[in-house]
Amino acid sequence: MYLAQFNALTDEQQLALVYAEGAYVATRWQEVYEAVLLYQLPGGFFAELTYDTETNEVQYIFAFEAGGEHDRLPDYATFVKLPGWLPEVD
């Protein structure tokens, strides 16, 4: 499935597809009670599920391609923890 096909689905269909076929990648926090869960889909694109931790509900879904106009992967870079055995780089 391609990004355009995914975006043509209803919100319920998108959510079902993310849970069925998506691979969880990472979580970032947008607000105190708002987690954003990143999934990679088999078509090579990504989907973010914005999740309200107080109501236990997905608020919305946003899909994007890496390197595209709406690429949000850099938002997760601050949460990447590299192993201590890697050499320092100047």
Side-chain angles (χ1 to χ4, degrees):
M1 173 172 287
Y2 297 106
L3 179 60
Q5 294 169 310
F6 181 83
N7 286 333
L9 300 174
T10 66
D11 289 346
E12 292 80 17
Q13 290 171 323
Q14 289 179 354
L15 186 60
L17 186 68
V18 168
Y19 285 142
E21 297 185 22
Y24 170 78
V25 177
T27 298
R28 68 179 174 86
W29 292 91
Q30 193 159 278
E31 298 291 336
V32 175
Y33 298 106
E34 196 172 76
V36 183
L37 310 174
L38 179 66
Y39 289 83
Q40 184 174 21
L41 281 296
F45 61 94
F46 296 87
E48 286 185 324
L49 305 182
T50 301
Y51 183 78
D52 186 320
T53 60
E54 288 186 320
T55 62
N56 291 325
E57 295 179 348
V58 173
Q59 293 177 319
Y60 53 89
I61 302 170
F62 180 78
F64 63 91
E65 293 178 312
E69 180 181 350
H70 302 289
D71 185 357
R72 293 187 179 179
L73 291 180
D75 295 343
Y76 295 87
T78 59
F79 299 102
V80 174
K81 195 166 189 131
L82 297 175
W85 54 264
L86 285 174
E88 292 286 327
V89 177
D90 294 326

